Amino acid sequence: MSAELKCWQDFPPGGIAFGATARQVETGLWRSMRPVLDAVRCVSCLRCWVQCPDASIITDSDARVSGVDFFFCKGCGLCAKVCPAGAIVMRPEAEFLNEPCGAVQGTSPEGR
Amino acid sequence: MILLGREKPYRREMTSGNLAFAEAMRQINPDVVAAYPITPSTEIPMKFAEFVADGLTDTEFIAVESEHSAITACVGASVSGARVMTASSANGIALMHEIFPIAAMFRAPIVLGLVNRTMGAPLNIHCDHSDSMPERDSGWIQIYCEDAQEVYDTVLLAVRLAEHRDVLTPVFVCQDGFITSHCYEPVEFLSDEIVRNFVGTREPFWPLLDVDVPVSYGSFVMSEDYFEIKRTQLEGMSNVPRVCGELSRELAFVTGREYGAVERCMTDDADYVVVVMSSAAGVAKDVVDSLRGRGVKAGCLRVRMFRPFPYDEVRDVLGDKLGVAVLDRSVSPGGAPPLAAEVRTALYDCPRRVPVASYIFGLGGRDFFPADAEMVFEDLAEGRSGFAGYIGLRDKYARGRRAV
């Protein structure tokens, strides 16, 4: 038995994990299309911020949309769909091959 | 027990297995009930929904769109720390199947009223055990009740059993569809105060909604840890006999009725014993009484708890018998009937071989008559063992009450 692997008696009941957090899970790795924000067209209505299933829309201190967190963004395209100003377009990831996958467009959220 | 309540401690009413279950639910006042109707269990959530609508409970009643959703909502509520109950039957149980092992692994205490009904097809609403038997490996405790009084008592017991720290395992409280669920018989109900004192409130361990101790349920686990985590689940089931015994004695102190994992009827000095579950035990015990009057040393063993299976008790009762007959109310096509398989397993370690005759009876609600039980005892006296036939099946070549 390898020293670092636990015996069954060391696991809590229910298969639960203590202190686990989704903050560590880079769901951005799943993305094939990425939302690109046009800051000039954006009216900061925050519909994208409300609808984003991964809380990936970043806002600045004035609560204006300032970017997308690509560490979490799965590229579902919901933000582009609900945007009334046409300020978000979905582009293939192939166009961004020279950028790191988890790059953040805008300010980085705390906790990563 | 000194009873200081305002209410009378007990009241007797004519009621049915379903309505006794629903009345127990009202008294228990669970936090969440999510249910979807299916005959013959429909009356349970239907009557309970009335209690909710009349403001007699504080329960969050979730009317869902399928049994799969019902049990899924129950699991979510249970791991969040709520006291949870539901009910279903037959194909509804089958639709819930995917979620049952998840509830068991999450150690989510849920009490489910399982009103036994045959699995379609052909479509039939009447009783056999072909809905609950496929769930014997789902990790749920299975208790089979003979009558409405036992259903009522067992629901109270099941809440404490499921939520006990050493068990934390969901429970099926089974009763025979229509035979028990819809027939009216006298049932003694405890006062609301006694019930609430007995069931108390749930003390959840690691609830999902405790923000001070954040936990995740349902994480992905690879091969290096899965086996160990699965092993932790089995601890709850292995503690059931001890905890259930303690709780049964505590409840019997209030009700005067104590139930074990098995019920013995004239088995001590019996030569021949019939093993059976649920309502059919009433017929078998009646026949045992009449055979005793004719000098035949007959006995009946009713298996009440099927999971965990009481191997030791069954071996203790049957190990010295001249013949044992096992009556299964379900089939395992191509394999041994489930109860017969367990009884034979229990008897394998006996020093002396006990002949076991296995029968199938009562599929799709086919009646089980005293003459059928008498025929089984006659078979045993003739030394029959192995698969002994289908009781009451019409067969062109059958002689008497049985087809092989």
Side-chain angles (χ1 to χ4, degrees):
Chain A
M1 172 64 71
S2 167
E4 67 270 21
L5 292 177
K6 295 190 286 185
C7 291
W8 74 266
Q9 291 92 343
D10 301 323
F11 285 94
I16 57 174
F18 290 104
T21 172
R23 284 179 190 276
Q24 308 290 331
V25 182
E26 190 177 351
T27 48
L29 291 171
W30 310 355
R31 194 175 57 247
S32 61
M33 302 280 282
R34 75 163 57 179
V36 176
L37 178 69
D38 182 343
V40 177
R41 284 177 172 237
C42 174
V43 294
S44 277
C45 65
L46 298 182
R47 287 192 191 184
C48 57
W49 182 83
V50 169
Q51 295 288 337
C52 177
D54 293 293
S56 301
I57 301 296
I58 301 160
T59 51
D60 62 18
S61 54
D62 297 327
R64 295 181 62 82
V65 174
S66 60
V68 178
D69 188 341
F70 288 125
F71 188 84
F72 296 122
C73 170
K74 295 177 199 148
C76 71
L78 200 57
C79 52
K81 191 87 178 170
V82 299
C83 180
I88 300 175
V89 288
M90 299 303 291
R91 308 291 305 171
E93 276 299 316
E95 295 178 13
F96 305 93
L97 285 177
N98 52 349
E99 292 182 26
C101 176
V104 172
Q105 181 189 353
T107 330
S108 175
E110 45 113 2
R112 279 218 325 268
Chain B
M1 187 177 186
I2 302 163
L3 299 162
L4 301 170
R6 298 172 304 280
E7 304 170 81
K8 276 173 65 179
Y10 310 102
R11 70 193 145 85
R12 258 178 164 245
E13 279 178 25
M14 285 297 285
T15 192
S16 67
N18 274 346
L19 298 180
F21 194 110
E23 175 65 2
M25 288 172 82
R26 182 192 65 74
Q27 295 180 309
I28 291 162
N29 193 13
D31 300 309
V32 173
V33 169
Y36 190 82
I38 181 167
T39 303
S41 64
T42 301
E43 267 186 322
I44 295 176
M46 192 178 84
K47 186 71 189 170
F48 185 72
E50 253 178 60
F51 294 142
V52 175
D54 291 346
L56 301 177
T57 72
D58 310 313
T59 304
E60 181 74 33
F61 185 87
I62 312 174
V64 287
E65 74 279 23
S66 77
E67 288 88 352
H68 191 279
S69 306
I71 192 65
T72 303
C74 288
V75 170
S78 183
V79 298
S80 301
R83 175 169 279 171
V84 183
M85 301 179 77
T86 186
S88 194
S89 295
N91 298 57
I93 293 295
L95 188 54
M96 290 180 170
H97 170 76
E98 186 202 5
I99 306 302
F100 286 147
I102 297 173
M105 179 63 238
F106 284 1
R107 307 293 292 278
I110 299 165
V111 175
L112 186 152
L114 198 161
V115 184
N116 283 112
R117 161 183 160 182
T118 191
M119 287 291 299
L123 184 59
N124 173 301
I125 54 171
H126 288 280
C127 174
D128 67 38
H129 296 171
S130 58
D131 51 358
S132 56
M133 283 300 162
E135 303 307 332
R136 66 191 188 272
D137 300 333
S138 291
W140 286 52
I141 297 164
Q142 292 199 358
I143 305 175
Y144 290 78
C145 302
E146 183 182 334
D147 55 31
Q149 181 71 67
E150 188 180 340
V151 169
Y152 175 74
D153 296 341
T154 303
V155 179
L156 308 183
L157 177 83
V159 169
R160 291 278 304 276
L161 180 62
E163 295 174 4
H164 193 284
R165 185 181 190 127
D166 296 341
V167 174
L168 288 175
T169 301
V171 183
F172 293 131
V173 178
C174 304
Q175 58 176 308
D176 281 351
F178 290 105
I179 303 166
T180 310
S181 68
H182 284 65
C183 284
Y184 277 63
E185 53 188 316
V187 171
E188 196 171 86
F189 293 108
L190 302 171
S191 72
D192 291 3
E193 186 183 4
I194 293 175
V195 170
R196 280 170 192 169
N197 284 340
F198 178 76
V199 298
T201 51
R202 182 180 168 197
E203 289 171 26
F205 304 100
W206 304 288
L208 201 53
L209 294 183
D210 183 352
V211 291
D212 295 325
V213 186
V215 295
S216 290
Y217 280 82
S219 304
F220 182 79
V221 173
M222 283 295 282
S223 316
E224 69 265 27
D225 284 336
Y226 178 91
F227 204 160
E228 282 69 25
I229 290 172
K230 195 68 184 172
R231 175 65 184 81
T232 66
Q233 179 195 326
L234 311 181
E235 282 303 278
M237 195 61 97
S238 65
N239 288 328
V240 169
R242 171 179 60 81
V243 174
C244 193
E246 292 166 7
L247 293 173
S248 296
R249 280 187 290 279
E250 187 183 331
L251 185 59
F253 193 65
V254 185
T255 62
R257 295 176 294 273
E258 184 170 352
Y259 306 93
V262 297
E263 181 196 348
R264 303 163 178 83
C265 170
M266 307 261 184
T267 55
D268 285 354
D269 67 336
D271 292 330
Y272 305 108
V273 175
V274 165
V275 184
V276 67
M277 295 163 71
S278 301
S279 65
V283 175
K285 287 186 282 189
D286 211 37
V287 167
V288 165
D289 280 345
S290 68
L291 288 175
R292 286 272 169 174
R294 288 161 20 205
V296 180
K297 284 189 169 179
C300 174
L301 179 69
R302 178 170 69 91
V303 174
R304 176 172 134 85
M305 188 164 275
F306 192 77
R307 281 292 180 273
F309 193 82
Y311 294 101
D312 292 344
E313 287 95 326
V314 168
R315 186 164 49 244
D316 288 347
V317 173
L318 302 179
D320 63 345
K321 301 309 174 201
L322 298 180
V324 168
V326 184
L327 273 50
D328 269 275
R329 202 161 197 154
S330 61
V331 281
S332 177
L339 182 59
E342 299 297 357
V343 170
R344 287 204 180 99
T345 299
L347 292 174
Y348 186 77
D349 293 327
C350 289
R352 194 185 128 266
R353 179 179 173 273
V354 179
V356 174
S358 161
Y359 299 81
I360 306 288
F361 80 103
L363 299 191
R366 178 65 49 89
D367 280 329
F368 179 65
F369 295 102
D372 297 320
E374 283 171 17
M375 175 208 71
V376 169
F377 279 110
E378 283 163 20
D379 280 357
L380 291 180
E382 290 166 13
R384 184 180 278 273
S385 70
F387 182 67
Y390 305 92
I391 296 172
L393 176 73
R394 292 188 301 276
D395 181 311
K396 282 187 176 179
Y397 309 106
R399 287 199 301 266
R401 307 190 67 85
R402 168 207 330 112
V404 178

